[in-house]
C-alpha cells in the first residue's frame, strides 16, 4: 500500500485528489494538510510514503516546506502540485529536492502515474519539461529572466505582482519593509523593468 499525504489549502482540491487516489486499490491517503505547518508535521510521520505538496499555501512557502521535509526525511518522495506552469517553478522545485512536478490542470490524469513513478525511485517530469531541461542544459535555450531569480526574490515578486504592498509583503514573509524594498529594486533591475505596474504586466504575460 502506497500511503500519501495530500497538502493543499483548498478543501475542494484536496477532496478531488483524495477521490483520484481512492480509486486505486494500492493507494491510500493517510494524512491531509491545509497549510504549511500541517504539511510539515504530517510529512515527518513515518507512515507517509509520498507527499503531494501544493506550492502556494498559507504560512511558509512551498519550496521552504519542501526543503525542510527533505532535511528531515531525505528519502521521502515529494510531488509538487502547482497552479503555475512548468516554465515558472518546475526547475526551481526539482533543484530544491522535488521528485516531480504536476500542474493542477494535469493532476487528474497524471497523479496516479506520478506517484507510482516516484515510488519506483524515478523522477516524474512531463515530456515538455524534459525537453526544456535538455535544451537548457545543451545551451539551445536561454532561461527566462524570472527563472534566474532567487527563491526569495520570486516570493517577493509573486506577492507584489498579486497586489500586495511592500508593507504587506514584508508581513507575509516576516521580513522588514527595508529588506522587501531592496528585493523589489533587485527584481526591477534583473527583469529590466521600472515600476510595480511593470512587474504586474510581466507576471501576467508569463503566467506567474
Amino acid at each position: 500500500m502506497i500511503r500519501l499525504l495530500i497538502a493543499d489549502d483548498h478543501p475542494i482540491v484536496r477532496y478531488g485528489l483524495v477521490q483520484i487516489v481512492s480509486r486505486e486499490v494500492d493507494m491510500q491517503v493517510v494524512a491531509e494538510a491545509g497549510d504549511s505547518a500541517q504539511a510539515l508535521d504530517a510529512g515527518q510521520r513515518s507512515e507517509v510514503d509520498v507527499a503531494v505538496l501544493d506550492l502556494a499555501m498559507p504560512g511558509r512557502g512551498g519550496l521552504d516546506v519542501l526543503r525542510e521535509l527533505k532535511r528531515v526525511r531525505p528519502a521521502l518522495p515529494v510531488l509538487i502540485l502547482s497552479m503555475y506552469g512548468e516554465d515558472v517553478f518546475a526547475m526551481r522545485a526539482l533543484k530544491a529536492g522535488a521528485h516531480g512536478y504536476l500542474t493542477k490542470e494535469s493532476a487528474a490524469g497524471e497523479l496516479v502515474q506520478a506517484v507510482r513513478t516516484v515510488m519506483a525511485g524515478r523522477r516524474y517530469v512531463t515530456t515538455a519539461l524534459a525537453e526544456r531541461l535538455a535544451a537548457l542544459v545543451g545551451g539551445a535555450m536561454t532561461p527566462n529572466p524570472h527563472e534566474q531569480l532567487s527563491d526569495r526574490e520570486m516570493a517577493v515578486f509573486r506577492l507584489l505582482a498579486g497586489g500586495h504592498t511592500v508593507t504587506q509583503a514584508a508581513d507575509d514573509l516576516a521580513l522588514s519593509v527595508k529588506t522587501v524594498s531592496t528585493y523589489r529594486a533587485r527584481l526591477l533591475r534583473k527583469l529590466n523593468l521600472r515600476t510595480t505596474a511593470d512587474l504586474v504586466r510581466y507576471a501576467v504575460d508569463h503566467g506567474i
Side-chain angles (χ1 to χ4, degrees):
M1 184 66 68
I2 303 174
R3 300 164 299 181
L4 289 92
L5 158 66
I6 303 292
D8 193 290
D9 63 325
H10 293 93
I12 293 176
V13 174
R14 286 203 312 274
Y15 176 80
L17 296 173
V18 170
Q19 294 307 302
I20 292 170
V21 170
S22 67
R23 296 196 293 263
E24 305 301 312
V25 296
D26 61 340
M27 293 185 187
Q28 178 185 8
V29 176
V30 296
E32 295 184 40
D35 59 37
S36 299
Q38 293 174 0
L40 276 172
D41 179 65
Q44 295 179 51
R45 301 174 192 170
S46 60
E47 65 265 25
V48 172
D49 298 317
V50 176
V52 180
L53 177 65
D54 183 18
L55 198 61
M57 289 188 297
R60 297 173 62 181
L63 291 178
D64 286 342
V65 175
L66 169 62
R67 291 190 184 91
E68 182 63 16
L69 282 177
K70 298 304 292 184
R71 185 187 69 80
V72 177
R73 296 189 60 191
L76 176 68
V78 179
L79 282 169
I80 291 296
L81 185 67
S82 176
M83 63 184 290
Y84 301 103
E86 292 175 332
D87 63 325
V88 179
F89 280 108
M91 287 184 285
R92 197 178 294 270
L94 292 173
K95 288 179 180 178
H99 287 67
Y101 187 95
L102 288 171
T103 64
K104 292 186 178 181
E105 184 178 10
S106 65
E110 297 181 24
L111 178 60
V112 169
Q113 180 185 351
V115 169
R116 297 193 190 286
T117 298
V118 300
M119 274 299 294
R122 303 191 304 272
R123 302 267 181 186
Y124 182 83
V125 295
T126 64
T127 300
L129 179 56
E131 291 175 351
R132 181 174 179 81
L133 288 170
L136 287 170
V137 171
M141 181 183 294
T142 302
N144 290 315
H146 62 265
E147 292 179 278
Q148 301 179 63
L149 298 176
S150 70
D151 292 341
R152 183 63 76 186
E153 288 168 346
M154 179 60 82
V156 172
F157 181 18
R158 286 177 50 229
L159 290 173
L160 294 180
H164 285 59
T165 64
V166 169
T167 300
Q168 290 169 333
D171 288 341
D172 279 11
L173 298 172
L175 298 172
S176 70
V177 171
K178 181 178 179 180
T179 298
V180 172
S181 295
T182 299
Y183 278 122
R184 177 184 175 277
R186 288 182 192 170
L187 288 170
L188 294 174
R189 183 175 67 254
K190 289 185 176 182
L191 299 178
N192 196 28
L193 303 174
R194 296 182 60 189
T195 67
T196 299
D198 292 335
L199 285 176
V200 174
R201 282 191 291 270
Y202 184 102
V204 171
D205 290 344
H206 292 82
I208 301 174

mmCIF file of all heavy atoms in Angstrom, residues 101-142:
data_model
loop_
_atom_site.group_PDB
_atom_site.id
_atom_site.type_symbol
_atom_site.label_atom_id
_atom_site.label_comp_id
_atom_site.label_asym_id
_atom_site.label_seq_id
_atom_site.Cartn_x
_atom_site.Cartn_y
_atom_site.Cartn_z
ATOM 1 N N TYR A 101 6.849 17.215 -10.646
ATOM 2 C CA TYR A 101 6.109 18.481 -10.686
ATOM 3 C C TYR A 101 4.869 18.272 -11.538
ATOM 4 O O TYR A 101 4.960 17.819 -12.683
ATOM 5 C CB TYR A 101 6.987 19.574 -11.277
ATOM 6 C CG TYR A 101 6.411 20.975 -11.220
ATOM 7 C CD1 TYR A 101 6.731 21.843 -10.180
ATOM 8 C CD2 TYR A 101 5.552 21.446 -12.215
ATOM 9 C CE1 TYR A 101 6.220 23.133 -10.122
ATOM 10 C CE2 TYR A 101 5.028 22.730 -12.168
ATOM 11 C CZ TYR A 101 5.367 23.573 -11.123
ATOM 12 O OH TYR A 101 4.860 24.841 -11.067
ATOM 13 N N LEU A 102 3.712 18.589 -10.964
ATOM 14 C CA LEU A 102 2.442 18.480 -11.668
ATOM 15 C C LEU A 102 1.707 19.813 -11.603
ATOM 16 O O LEU A 102 1.694 20.463 -10.555
ATOM 17 C CB LEU A 102 1.545 17.426 -11.019
ATOM 18 C CG LEU A 102 1.891 15.949 -11.166
ATOM 19 C CD1 LEU A 102 0.979 15.136 -10.257
ATOM 20 C CD2 LEU A 102 1.739 15.506 -12.601
ATOM 21 N N THR A 103 1.103 20.225 -12.690
ATOM 22 C CA THR A 103 0.199 21.362 -12.617
ATOM 23 C C THR A 103 -1.165 20.853 -12.177
ATOM 24 O O THR A 103 -1.512 19.686 -12.406
ATOM 25 C CB THR A 103 0.066 22.071 -13.977
ATOM 26 O OG1 THR A 103 -0.526 21.164 -14.928
ATOM 27 C CG2 THR A 103 1.434 22.522 -14.485
ATOM 28 N N LYS A 104 -1.941 21.708 -11.518
ATOM 29 C CA LYS A 104 -3.263 21.285 -11.070
ATOM 30 C C LYS A 104 -4.153 20.936 -12.255
ATOM 31 O O LYS A 104 -5.054 20.098 -12.140
ATOM 32 C CB LYS A 104 -3.894 22.383 -10.215
ATOM 33 C CG LYS A 104 -3.186 22.569 -8.884
ATOM 34 C CD LYS A 104 -3.894 23.544 -7.971
ATOM 35 C CE LYS A 104 -3.163 23.648 -6.632
ATOM 36 N NZ LYS A 104 -3.830 24.575 -5.694
ATOM 37 N N GLU A 105 -3.889 21.566 -13.371
ATOM 38 C CA GLU A 105 -4.669 21.284 -14.580
ATOM 39 C C GLU A 105 -4.469 19.847 -15.046
ATOM 40 O O GLU A 105 -5.388 19.220 -15.568
ATOM 41 C CB GLU A 105 -4.259 22.262 -15.686
ATOM 42 C CG GLU A 105 -5.066 22.128 -16.969
ATOM 43 C CD GLU A 105 -4.643 23.145 -18.014
ATOM 44 O OE1 GLU A 105 -3.615 23.817 -17.819
ATOM 45 O OE2 GLU A 105 -5.345 23.269 -19.030
ATOM 46 N N SER A 106 -3.259 19.317 -14.845
ATOM 47 C CA SER A 106 -2.958 17.969 -15.345
ATOM 48 C C SER A 106 -3.065 16.888 -14.272
ATOM 49 O O SER A 106 -2.924 15.698 -14.568
ATOM 50 C CB SER A 106 -1.545 17.939 -15.930
ATOM 51 O OG SER A 106 -0.573 18.175 -14.918
ATOM 52 N N ALA A 107 -3.327 17.282 -13.034
ATOM 53 C CA ALA A 107 -3.278 16.331 -11.918
ATOM 54 C C ALA A 107 -4.263 15.185 -12.072
ATOM 55 O O ALA A 107 -3.943 14.036 -11.742
ATOM 56 C CB ALA A 107 -3.528 17.069 -10.601
ATOM 57 N N ALA A 108 -5.460 15.466 -12.574
ATOM 58 C CA ALA A 108 -6.479 14.422 -12.673
ATOM 59 C C ALA A 108 -6.000 13.246 -13.517
ATOM 60 O O ALA A 108 -6.273 12.083 -13.207
ATOM 61 C CB ALA A 108 -7.771 15.004 -13.252
ATOM 62 N N GLY A 109 -5.282 13.538 -14.589
ATOM 63 C CA GLY A 109 -4.850 12.478 -15.486
ATOM 64 C C GLY A 109 -3.476 11.916 -15.193
ATOM 65 O O GLY A 109 -3.118 10.834 -15.694
ATOM 66 N N GLU A 110 -2.687 12.628 -14.348
ATOM 67 C CA GLU A 110 -1.289 12.222 -14.181
ATOM 68 C C GLU A 110 -0.883 11.869 -12.755
ATOM 69 O O GLU A 110 0.195 11.315 -12.548
ATOM 70 C CB GLU A 110 -0.372 13.354 -14.678
ATOM 71 C CG GLU A 110 -0.523 13.670 -16.156
ATOM 72 C CD GLU A 110 0.427 14.772 -16.605
ATOM 73 O OE1 GLU A 110 1.471 14.973 -15.961
ATOM 74 O OE2 GLU A 110 0.103 15.460 -17.585
ATOM 75 N N LEU A 111 -1.735 12.178 -11.765
ATOM 76 C CA LEU A 111 -1.320 11.993 -10.376
ATOM 77 C C LEU A 111 -0.936 10.549 -10.065
ATOM 78 O O LEU A 111 0.110 10.292 -9.461
ATOM 79 C CB LEU A 111 -2.434 12.451 -9.432
ATOM 80 C CG LEU A 111 -2.140 12.263 -7.934
ATOM 81 C CD1 LEU A 111 -0.912 13.044 -7.520
ATOM 82 C CD2 LEU A 111 -3.354 12.672 -7.099
ATOM 83 N N VAL A 112 -1.765 9.602 -10.454
ATOM 84 C CA VAL A 112 -1.504 8.196 -10.124
ATOM 85 C C VAL A 112 -0.191 7.730 -10.750
ATOM 86 O O VAL A 112 0.644 7.100 -10.093
ATOM 87 C CB VAL A 112 -2.673 7.304 -10.579
ATOM 88 C CG1 VAL A 112 -2.290 5.821 -10.473
ATOM 89 C CG2 VAL A 112 -3.915 7.591 -9.734
ATOM 90 N N GLN A 113 0.010 8.049 -12.025
ATOM 91 C CA GLN A 113 1.254 7.667 -12.691
ATOM 92 C C GLN A 113 2.451 8.331 -12.021
ATOM 93 O O GLN A 113 3.506 7.702 -11.847
ATOM 94 C CB GLN A 113 1.208 8.066 -14.171
ATOM 95 C CG GLN A 113 2.473 7.703 -14.935
ATOM 96 C CD GLN A 113 2.461 8.209 -16.364
ATOM 97 O OE1 GLN A 113 1.436 8.703 -16.846
ATOM 98 N NE2 GLN A 113 3.586 8.106 -17.042
ATOM 99 N N ALA A 114 2.292 9.594 -11.624
ATOM 100 C CA ALA A 114 3.396 10.305 -10.982
ATOM 101 C C ALA A 114 3.756 9.658 -9.644
ATOM 102 O O ALA A 114 4.934 9.489 -9.327
ATOM 103 C CB ALA A 114 3.010 11.768 -10.773
ATOM 104 N N VAL A 115 2.754 9.279 -8.867
ATOM 105 C CA VAL A 115 3.002 8.633 -7.575
ATOM 106 C C VAL A 115 3.741 7.314 -7.779
ATOM 107 O O VAL A 115 4.722 7.015 -7.081
ATOM 108 C CB VAL A 115 1.679 8.395 -6.823
ATOM 109 C CG1 VAL A 115 1.902 7.485 -5.611
ATOM 110 C CG2 VAL A 115 1.073 9.717 -6.379
ATOM 111 N N ARG A 116 3.293 6.522 -8.738
ATOM 112 C CA ARG A 116 3.955 5.237 -8.989
ATOM 113 C C ARG A 116 5.398 5.445 -9.465
ATOM 114 O O ARG A 116 6.302 4.681 -9.098
ATOM 115 C CB ARG A 116 3.177 4.432 -10.029
ATOM 116 C CG ARG A 116 1.779 4.048 -9.595
ATOM 117 C CD ARG A 116 1.188 2.988 -10.516
ATOM 118 N NE ARG A 116 -0.227 2.793 -10.247
ATOM 119 C CZ ARG A 116 -0.722 2.152 -9.191
ATOM 120 N NH1 ARG A 116 0.107 1.646 -8.299
ATOM 121 N NH2 ARG A 116 -2.019 2.023 -9.021
ATOM 122 N N THR A 117 5.622 6.484 -10.249
ATOM 123 C CA THR A 117 6.966 6.754 -10.770
ATOM 124 C C THR A 117 7.928 7.104 -9.645
ATOM 125 O O THR A 117 9.033 6.559 -9.567
ATOM 126 C CB THR A 117 6.924 7.898 -11.795
ATOM 127 O OG1 THR A 117 6.109 7.509 -12.910
ATOM 128 C CG2 THR A 117 8.320 8.224 -12.308
ATOM 129 N N VAL A 118 7.524 8.011 -8.756
ATOM 130 C CA VAL A 118 8.440 8.420 -7.684
ATOM 131 C C VAL A 118 8.617 7.314 -6.654
ATOM 132 O O VAL A 118 9.677 7.182 -6.032
ATOM 133 C CB VAL A 118 7.983 9.735 -7.016
ATOM 134 C CG1 VAL A 118 7.932 10.861 -8.038
ATOM 135 C CG2 VAL A 118 6.644 9.585 -6.320
ATOM 136 N N MET A 119 7.599 6.483 -6.454
ATOM 137 C CA MET A 119 7.742 5.353 -5.535
ATOM 138 C C MET A 119 8.730 4.325 -6.079
ATOM 139 O O MET A 119 9.355 3.581 -5.319
ATOM 140 C CB MET A 119 6.393 4.685 -5.282
ATOM 141 C CG MET A 119 5.595 5.323 -4.162
ATOM 142 S SD MET A 119 6.434 5.275 -2.542
ATOM 143 C CE MET A 119 6.463 3.515 -2.206
ATOM 144 N N ALA A 120 8.885 4.316 -7.388
ATOM 145 C CA ALA A 120 9.847 3.402 -8.016
ATOM 146 C C ALA A 120 11.255 3.982 -8.013
ATOM 147 O O ALA A 120 12.181 3.369 -8.555
ATOM 148 C CB ALA A 120 9.409 3.089 -9.445
ATOM 149 N N GLY A 121 11.411 5.168 -7.428
ATOM 150 C CA GLY A 121 12.732 5.772 -7.315
ATOM 151 C C GLY A 121 13.139 6.627 -8.488
ATOM 152 O O GLY A 121 14.309 7.004 -8.615
ATOM 153 N N ARG A 122 12.165 6.991 -9.338
ATOM 154 C CA ARG A 122 12.473 7.807 -10.512
ATOM 155 C C ARG A 122 11.842 9.187 -10.369
ATOM 156 O O ARG A 122 10.956 9.399 -9.552
ATOM 157 C CB ARG A 122 11.968 7.131 -11.794
ATOM 158 C CG ARG A 122 12.524 5.738 -12.013
ATOM 159 C CD ARG A 122 12.201 5.226 -13.406
ATOM 160 N NE ARG A 122 10.785 5.239 -13.697
ATOM 161 C CZ ARG A 122 9.952 4.237 -13.418
ATOM 162 N NH1 ARG A 122 10.403 3.162 -12.796
ATOM 163 N NH2 ARG A 122 8.666 4.313 -13.727
ATOM 164 N N ARG A 123 12.293 10.117 -11.182
ATOM 165 C CA ARG A 123 11.713 11.463 -11.228
ATOM 166 C C ARG A 123 10.521 11.451 -12.177
ATOM 167 O O ARG A 123 10.523 10.737 -13.178
ATOM 168 C CB ARG A 123 12.735 12.478 -11.732
ATOM 169 C CG ARG A 123 13.994 12.537 -10.911
ATOM 170 C CD ARG A 123 13.928 13.591 -9.851
ATOM 171 N NE ARG A 123 15.158 13.654 -9.067
ATOM 172 C CZ ARG A 123 15.305 14.425 -8.012
ATOM 173 N NH1 ARG A 123 14.316 15.208 -7.630
ATOM 174 N NH2 ARG A 123 16.438 14.433 -7.333
ATOM 175 N N TYR A 124 9.515 12.270 -11.855
ATOM 176 C CA TYR A 124 8.385 12.390 -12.760
ATOM 177 C C TYR A 124 8.388 13.779 -13.380
ATOM 178 O O TYR A 124 8.200 14.781 -12.686
ATOM 179 C CB TYR A 124 7.055 12.170 -12.043
ATOM 180 C CG TYR A 124 5.891 12.246 -13.009
ATOM 181 C CD1 TYR A 124 5.524 11.138 -13.760
ATOM 182 C CD2 TYR A 124 5.199 13.444 -13.214
ATOM 183 C CE1 TYR A 124 4.491 11.204 -14.679
ATOM 184 C CE2 TYR A 124 4.170 13.523 -14.128
ATOM 185 C CZ TYR A 124 3.825 12.398 -14.853
ATOM 186 O OH TYR A 124 2.815 12.467 -15.785
ATOM 187 N N VAL A 125 8.618 13.843 -14.667
ATOM 188 C CA VAL A 125 8.528 15.099 -15.407
ATOM 189 C C VAL A 125 7.778 14.819 -16.705
ATOM 190 O O VAL A 125 7.854 13.729 -17.250
ATOM 191 C CB VAL A 125 9.915 15.702 -15.737
ATOM 192 C CG1 VAL A 125 10.643 16.106 -14.471
ATOM 193 C CG2 VAL A 125 10.766 14.725 -16.538
ATOM 194 N N THR A 126 7.057 15.803 -17.177
ATOM 195 C CA THR A 126 6.349 15.644 -18.444
ATOM 196 C C THR A 126 7.345 15.688 -19.598
ATOM 197 O O THR A 126 8.493 16.126 -19.441
ATOM 198 C CB THR A 126 5.322 16.768 -18.632
ATOM 199 O OG1 THR A 126 6.026 18.026 -18.723
ATOM 200 C CG2 THR A 126 4.340 16.827 -17.466
ATOM 201 N N THR A 127 6.901 15.255 -20.750
ATOM 202 C CA THR A 127 7.751 15.286 -21.935
ATOM 203 C C THR A 127 8.194 16.714 -22.252
ATOM 204 O O THR A 127 9.353 16.959 -22.586
ATOM 205 C CB THR A 127 7.002 14.692 -23.145
ATOM 206 O OG1 THR A 127 6.639 13.340 -22.851
ATOM 207 C CG2 THR A 127 7.882 14.713 -24.386
ATOM 208 N N ALA A 128 7.264 17.660 -22.125
ATOM 209 C CA ALA A 128 7.587 19.057 -22.418
ATOM 210 C C ALA A 128 8.672 19.585 -21.484
ATOM 211 O O ALA A 128 9.598 20.275 -21.912
ATOM 212 C CB ALA A 128 6.336 19.922 -22.306
ATOM 213 N N LEU A 129 8.583 19.240 -20.193
ATOM 214 C CA LEU A 129 9.588 19.704 -19.240
ATOM 215 C C LEU A 129 10.924 19.028 -19.496
ATOM 216 O O LEU A 129 11.976 19.676 -19.414
ATOM 217 C CB LEU A 129 9.129 19.430 -17.806
ATOM 218 C CG LEU A 129 10.107 19.838 -16.699
ATOM 219 C CD1 LEU A 129 10.461 21.318 -16.810
ATOM 220 C CD2 LEU A 129 9.516 19.532 -15.329
ATOM 221 N N ALA A 130 10.903 17.741 -19.817
ATOM 222 C CA ALA A 130 12.150 17.030 -20.110
ATOM 223 C C ALA A 130 12.857 17.658 -21.306
ATOM 224 O O ALA A 130 14.084 17.826 -21.306
ATOM 225 C CB ALA A 130 11.858 15.558 -20.384
ATOM 226 N N GLU A 131 12.084 18.033 -22.311
ATOM 227 C CA GLU A 131 12.672 18.668 -23.495
ATOM 228 C C GLU A 131 13.240 20.036 -23.140
ATOM 229 O O GLU A 131 14.305 20.423 -23.641
ATOM 230 C CB GLU A 131 11.612 18.790 -24.590
ATOM 231 C CG GLU A 131 11.199 17.446 -25.187
ATOM 232 C CD GLU A 131 10.078 17.580 -26.186
ATOM 233 O OE1 GLU A 131 9.487 18.690 -26.299
ATOM 234 O OE2 GLU A 131 9.775 16.581 -26.873
ATOM 235 N N ARG A 132 12.542 20.765 -22.272
ATOM 236 C CA ARG A 132 13.033 22.085 -21.863
ATOM 237 C C ARG A 132 14.333 21.959 -21.069
ATOM 238 O O ARG A 132 15.280 22.720 -21.274
ATOM 239 C CB ARG A 132 11.966 22.798 -21.032
ATOM 240 C CG ARG A 132 12.377 24.190 -20.571
ATOM 241 C CD ARG A 132 11.249 24.918 -19.873
ATOM 242 N NE ARG A 132 11.677 26.237 -19.432
ATOM 243 C CZ ARG A 132 11.739 27.296 -20.199
ATOM 244 N NH1 ARG A 132 11.408 27.204 -21.472
ATOM 245 N NH2 ARG A 132 12.145 28.467 -19.726
ATOM 246 N N LEU A 133 14.381 20.998 -20.166
ATOM 247 C CA LEU A 133 15.587 20.772 -19.376
ATOM 248 C C LEU A 133 16.762 20.420 -20.281
ATOM 249 O O LEU A 133 17.880 20.917 -20.110
ATOM 250 C CB LEU A 133 15.357 19.647 -18.365
ATOM 251 C CG LEU A 133 14.435 19.978 -17.182
ATOM 252 C CD1 LEU A 133 14.095 18.708 -16.409
ATOM 253 C CD2 LEU A 133 15.096 20.979 -16.263
ATOM 254 N N ALA A 134 16.506 19.547 -21.261
ATOM 255 C CA ALA A 134 17.561 19.141 -22.189
ATOM 256 C C ALA A 134 18.056 20.331 -23.006
ATOM 257 O O ALA A 134 19.262 20.494 -23.236
ATOM 258 C CB ALA A 134 17.052 18.037 -23.109
ATOM 259 N N ALA A 135 17.137 21.185 -23.432
ATOM 260 C CA ALA A 135 17.514 22.350 -24.232
ATOM 261 C C ALA A 135 18.333 23.337 -23.420
ATOM 262 O O ALA A 135 19.308 23.918 -23.912
ATOM 263 C CB ALA A 135 16.257 23.026 -24.784
ATOM 264 N N LEU A 136 17.951 23.525 -22.158
ATOM 265 C CA LEU A 136 18.698 24.447 -21.300
ATOM 266 C C LEU A 136 20.097 23.913 -21.014
ATOM 267 O O LEU A 136 21.083 24.657 -21.076
ATOM 268 C CB LEU A 136 17.939 24.666 -19.986
ATOM 269 C CG LEU A 136 16.672 25.522 -20.080
ATOM 270 C CD1 LEU A 136 15.886 25.459 -18.781
ATOM 271 C CD2 LEU A 136 17.015 26.969 -20.417
ATOM 272 N N VAL A 137 20.188 22.618 -20.707
ATOM 273 C CA VAL A 137 21.492 22.019 -20.424
ATOM 274 C C VAL A 137 22.381 22.053 -21.662
ATOM 275 O O VAL A 137 23.583 22.307 -21.587
ATOM 276 C CB VAL A 137 21.315 20.564 -19.928
ATOM 277 C CG1 VAL A 137 22.665 19.862 -19.852
ATOM 278 C CG2 VAL A 137 20.649 20.553 -18.563
ATOM 279 N N GLY A 138 21.771 21.825 -22.816
ATOM 280 C CA GLY A 138 22.540 21.797 -24.053
ATOM 281 C C GLY A 138 22.836 23.164 -24.639
ATOM 282 O O GLY A 138 23.514 23.274 -25.665
ATOM 283 N N GLY A 139 22.313 24.207 -24.007
ATOM 284 C CA GLY A 139 22.574 25.559 -24.476
ATOM 285 C C GLY A 139 21.730 25.992 -25.650
ATOM 286 O O GLY A 139 21.963 27.038 -26.243
ATOM 287 N N ALA A 140 20.710 25.164 -25.986
ATOM 288 C CA ALA A 140 19.860 25.506 -27.127
ATOM 289 C C ALA A 140 18.745 26.468 -26.738
ATOM 290 O O ALA A 140 18.011 26.949 -27.597
ATOM 291 C CB ALA A 140 19.249 24.230 -27.723
ATOM 292 N N MET A 141 18.610 26.737 -25.457
ATOM 293 C CA MET A 141 17.556 27.625 -24.975
ATOM 294 C C MET A 141 18.111 28.517 -23.877
ATOM 295 O O MET A 141 18.895 28.073 -23.048
ATOM 296 C CB MET A 141 16.368 26.811 -24.443
ATOM 297 C CG MET A 141 15.205 27.645 -23.928
ATOM 298 S SD MET A 141 13.866 26.611 -23.241
ATOM 299 C CE MET A 141 13.318 25.778 -24.734
ATOM 300 N N THR A 142 17.700 29.773 -23.894
ATOM 301 C CA THR A 142 18.108 30.716 -22.858
ATOM 302 C C THR A 142 17.030 30.806 -21.796
ATOM 303 O O THR A 142 15.848 30.952 -22.137
ATOM 304 C CB THR A 142 18.332 32.116 -23.462
ATOM 305 O OG1 THR A 142 19.328 32.036 -24.483
ATOM 306 C CG2 THR A 142 18.787 33.090 -22.395
#
